[in-house]
Amino acid sequence: MDLILTPSSPMLGKRVAEILGLKLAKTHFKKFPDGELYVRVESDESNHLVISSINSNDDIILINLIFDALKGDIFLIAPYMGYARQDREFLEGEAVSIRAVAKMLEERVEGILTVNIHSERAKEKFRKLFDLDAMPLIGEHFRGRDVVMISPDKGSAERVKVAASIANADWDWLEKKRIDAQTVEIFPKNVEVNGKTVLIVDDIISTGGTVVEAAKKLYELGAKRVECACVHAVLADFAAVKLFSCGIEDIVATDTIERIFSKISVAKIIADHIRRVYQKA
Ligand code: R5P
């Protein structure tokens, strides 16, 4: 078995390969002037691990080209599975994007490994997917820090509870209403943060809108300092600038999407799973 690195997960892929003692296949990627992509993989192996977060449309095309180039069995590691927030038909006639992505990927792979896919509903669109939880790693990272962990909405509350129990921290959640893709409203709710350092914890930070609104409320409620942590640092639309400008003091993320804020690595939990499932000695 070898591991195919892609432009979206090179560091994480290298870490996983090192832990598992896998060789990296030689790859060639190109983008033509019109935006079309090109892939060539040199591999003699008959089993392949492909690691690529799905954080852009190019990632999806690239994965498909890699699938076409490879012979033999493929196992896909998609640490961040994009398109998972469109996990239902919110308006009549909408595509259920994650269902379409699932269909496309599962046609070619033996299995898919993700980290904190956005929802159970998204996960149910797959037949061959296993989802890992990085919240314990966030908990470990903050163990020993005197913070109150806050989920910006009820949807993430269970995840934050996991991180908080490992960090041995207090936790609570806020009430959020999404107005549109860029706008959210956080409702007043009494959480005990007066004079405290607060860590907003979420699965994804995308535009940053959720964290910004949550931070405003938390400062109004008397928080002394607000930081944020997430699994997937999508950070679209200058989100990091928005976060720091609204008074967020630090951003911590995992490396499911490789950012300067990726201070926690999911390499070990990925490698442990691969070892359990594919390298049963
Ligand atoms: C929503 O359900 C997710 O858990 C995140 O809260 C959301 O994706 C964050 O998006 P944004 O950063 O654009 O507010």
Side-chain angles (χ1 to χ4, degrees), residues 85 118 153 156 176 178 202-210:
R85 282 173 289 175
H118 179 61
D153 57 33
S156 276
K176 173 177 105 175
R178 180 163 289 285
D202 210 346
D203 60 337
I204 304 171
I205 300 179
S206 183
T207 65
T210 299

Side-chain angles (χ1 to χ4, degrees), residues 53-57 59 79-85 115-116 118 178 181-182 202-209 211 228-243 251-262:
S53 271
I54 297 182
N55 188 34
S56 72
N57 297 331
D59 291 333
Y80 172 60
M81 176 63 77
Y83 282 98
R85 282 173 289 175
V115 180
N116 293 98
H118 179 61
R178 180 163 289 285
Q182 276 81 34
D202 210 346
D203 60 337
I204 304 171
I205 300 179
S206 183
T207 65
V211 171
C228 66
C230 65
V231 178
H232 311 296
V234 174
L235 299 178
D237 291 345
F238 310 105
V241 177
K242 267 203 278 187
L243 294 175
I251 305 170
V252 169
T254 77
D255 52 359
T256 59
I257 300 174
E258 297 185 13
R259 302 284 185 222
I260 197 157
F261 309 107
S262 300

Side-chain angles (χ1 to χ4, degrees), residues 126-193:
F126 294 82
R127 287 173 297 118
K128 305 176 184 173
L129 183 140
F130 190 89
D131 190 46
L132 295 169
D133 186 10
M135 281 296 158
L137 299 179
I138 293 183
E140 273 163 34
H141 185 86
F142 286 95
R143 197 185 283 151
R145 284 273 318 272
D146 186 14
V147 293
V148 182
M149 293 194 176
I150 295 288
S151 166
D153 57 33
K154 210 170 171 189
S156 276
E158 280 306 310
R159 298 187 187 108
V160 175
K161 189 175 163 187
V162 171
S165 72
I166 288 174
N168 206 10
D170 289 337
W171 71 280
D172 209 331
W173 47 273
L174 297 168
E175 292 276 7
K176 173 177 105 175
K177 184 176 172 203
R178 180 163 289 285
I179 313 294
D180 59 39
Q182 276 81 34
T183 327
V184 296
E185 215 176 297
I186 302 275
F187 293 99
K189 178 178 174 246
N190 210 18
V191 287
E192 285 299 314
V193 293

Side-chain angles (χ1 to χ4, degrees), residues 41-136:
V41 186
E42 294 179 47
S43 170
D44 305 325
E45 300 287 327
S46 50
N47 290 307
H48 313 279
L49 277 180
V50 175
I51 182 161
S52 179
S53 271
I54 297 182
N55 188 34
S56 72
N57 297 331
D58 274 4
D59 291 333
I60 293 187
I61 300 289
L62 216 59
I63 288 171
N64 269 291
L65 298 184
I66 292 169
F67 287 177
D68 190 72
L70 291 175
K71 290 166 191 73
D73 289 348
I74 301 172
F75 184 88
L76 174 68
I77 306 165
Y80 172 60
M81 176 63 77
Y83 282 98
R85 282 173 289 175
Q86 183 72 23
D87 59 4
R88 70 195 88 169
E89 208 180 315
F90 295 93
L91 297 173
E92 202 190 329
E94 280 181 345
V96 179
S97 311
I98 194 64
R99 185 174 60 201
V101 171
K103 222 184 278 173
M104 193 169 64
L105 298 175
E106 289 198 327
E107 210 168 279
R108 180 65 179 91
V109 299
E110 304 305 304
I112 302 177
L113 185 62
T114 53
V115 180
N116 293 98
I117 189 165
H118 179 61
S119 63
E120 268 309 304
R121 201 188 288 261
K123 191 169 145 190
E124 283 161 10
K125 303 293 182 289
F126 294 82
R127 287 173 297 118
K128 305 176 184 173
L129 183 140
F130 190 89
D131 190 46
L132 295 169
D133 186 10
M135 281 296 158

